[in-house]
């Protein structure tokens, strides 16, 4: 029977697939760390209250990248190049979602609208990250090799999602509501399409590494397409709603350490 648990167990049990999985995850987290660090450095003076929280967000993402690389190191594995078709962050940027990297490379302050776009985009992508980590914790939170790492990352992703909700609600009260609504919708509709494409590409690579029969690969692809259809029909709405989170000021302190994984 195909299930998230059985699929991930297969990936864990093979060095080749585990190597690719951790490499993809580490690359995406490290890229997110760079993006947040650059945004924190370019926050406009009128929004400087956000600088320490964006800095904390970036530090968490960097930490997650180190954790995935440490999991590789424990198996005496090296990171492998990430296939472009599996690079979720790069594909989002190519679709114009979030802040363009060429803008982040300049030493010019961002605008208030830029920060609103960044937070709106983050609210969508952090929902995806939180959902994925919740699934992994549910199935592998007690796993002796990866359980501790995924529990730590899951807690961070929940903090990131809470921070996006809280700050976007504050900015909506300050008059940015129309922009927030527009960017959330645009980001969610683009994200679900890119997530589908990346999922198909990752499963194709995993299928080759794990020698899956064609019937299994076909069934998995059908499942991915069905999930996209559900999200396109209406499931994307969960990614754009805003509510006051239970975790308040979730990024108000320093990033936690990941020394035990380094």
């Amino acid at each position: 029977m195909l299930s998230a648990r059985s699929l991930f167990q297969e990936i864990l049990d093979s060095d080749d697939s585990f190597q690719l999985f951790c490499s993809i995850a580490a690359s995406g987290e490290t890229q997110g760390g760079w993006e947040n660090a650059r945004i924190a450095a370019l926050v406009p003076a009128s929004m400087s209250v956000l600088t320490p929280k964006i800095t904390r967000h970036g530090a968490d993402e960097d930490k997650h990248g180190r954790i995935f690389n440490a999991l590789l190191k424990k198996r005496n594995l090296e990171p492998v190049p990430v296939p472009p078709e599996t690079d979720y962050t790069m594909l989002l940027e190519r679709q114009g979602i979030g802040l363009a990297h060429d803008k982040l490379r300049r030493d010019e302050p961002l605008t208030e609208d830029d920060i609103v776009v960044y937070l709106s985009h983050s609210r969508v992508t952090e929902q995806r990250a939180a959902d994925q980590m919740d699934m992994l914790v549910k199935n592998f939170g007690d796993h002796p090799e990866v359980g501790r790492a995924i529990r730590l990352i899951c807690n961070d992703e929940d903090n990131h999602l809470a921070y996006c909700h809280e700050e976007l609600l504050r900015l909506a009260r300050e008059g940015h509501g129309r922009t927030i609504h527009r960017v959330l919708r645009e980001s969610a509709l683009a994200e679900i399409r890119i997530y589908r494409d990346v999922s198909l590409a990752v499963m194709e690579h995993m299928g080759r590494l794990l020698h899956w029969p064609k019937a299994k690969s076909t069934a998995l692809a059908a499942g991915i397409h069905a999930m996209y259809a559900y999200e396109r029909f209406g499931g994307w709405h969960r990614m754009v709603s805003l509510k006051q989170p239970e975790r308040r000021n979730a990024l108000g302190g320093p990033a936690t350490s990941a020394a035990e994984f380094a």
Side-chain angles (χ1 to χ4, degrees):
M1 177 181 176
L2 295 178
S3 67
R5 181 179 180 86
S6 65
L7 288 173
F8 194 67
Q9 188 65 61
E10 280 192 74
I11 291 170
L12 278 175
D13 289 344
S14 163
D15 279 351
D16 289 340
S17 56
F18 185 73
Q19 185 178 36
L20 179 60
F21 170 82
C22 287
S23 297
I24 291 172
S27 174
E29 297 286 356
T30 301
Q31 184 64 54
W34 176 85
E35 290 175 356
N36 279 278
R38 289 303 301 153
I39 292 167
L42 302 174
V43 171
S46 60
M47 290 184 163
S48 60
V49 66
L50 284 171
T51 300
K53 296 180 180 182
I54 299 172
T55 300
R56 161 74 184 276
H57 191 176
D60 283 346
E61 303 287 2
D62 275 337
K63 176 182 66 180
H64 300 167
R66 294 195 303 274
I67 288 172
F68 283 113
N69 281 320
L71 290 173
L72 286 174
K73 187 176 180 181
K74 283 183 179 180
R75 285 205 194 180
N76 295 315
L77 299 171
E78 294 291 330
V80 295
V82 174
E85 64 273 17
T86 70
D87 193 330
Y88 173 80
T89 304
M90 179 190 70
L91 292 171
L92 283 171
E93 189 206 358
R94 285 184 178 176
Q95 290 296 310
I97 302 303
L99 299 181
H101 287 183
D102 63 344
K103 176 178 286 192
L104 297 182
R105 292 188 181 98
R106 303 176 203 148
D107 288 323
E108 300 173 6
L110 297 171
T111 66
E112 290 190 0
D113 272 356
D114 287 333
I115 300 302
V116 171
V117 168
Y118 148 72
L119 281 169
S120 300
H121 164 248
S122 295
R123 185 264 176 271
V124 170
T125 56
E126 292 299 337
Q127 181 72 61
R128 182 71 71 186
D131 289 348
Q132 289 181 318
M133 295 312 301
D134 283 344
M135 179 274 293
L136 288 176
V137 167
K138 179 181 178 181
N139 290 293
F140 292 93
D142 59 353
H143 191 278
E145 182 178 10
V146 301
R148 191 176 185 184
I150 61 176
R151 290 196 309 271
L152 187 154
I153 295 172
C154 184
N155 182 67
D156 286 347
E157 300 297 2
D158 287 343
N159 282 338
H160 299 167
L161 186 57
Y163 142 77
C164 291
H165 276 272
E166 187 173 24
E167 296 302 334
L168 285 171
L169 285 170
R170 179 179 63 81
L171 290 170
R173 291 192 297 270
E174 293 178 2
H176 296 280
R178 183 171 296 179
T179 301
I180 291 169
H181 177 77
R182 173 181 58 80
V183 177
L184 282 174
R185 186 180 189 281
E186 291 173 355
S187 298
L189 291 174
E191 193 279 343
I192 63 172
R193 185 177 67 254
I194 290 167
Y195 182 72
R196 174 203 61 191
D197 293 345
V198 168
S199 296
L200 289 169
V202 170
M203 287 301 103
E204 183 178 349
H205 282 278
M206 293 300 176
R208 284 200 295 268
L209 292 172
L210 296 169
H211 308 292
W212 286 340
K214 184 176 181 180
K216 182 173 182 176
S217 295
T218 300
L220 286 171
I224 292 168
H225 283 294
M227 176 58 71
Y228 171 73
Y230 160 75
E231 292 192 327
R232 185 64 185 84
F233 181 73
W236 62 272
H237 288 287
R238 83 186 191 285
M239 308 176 85
V240 301
S241 61
L242 294 174
K243 63 181 180 180
Q244 201 62 251
E246 293 182 10
R247 300 186 185 196
R248 305 298 292 273
N249 196 30
L251 296 187
T256 56
S257 171
E260 66 271 27
F261 297 102

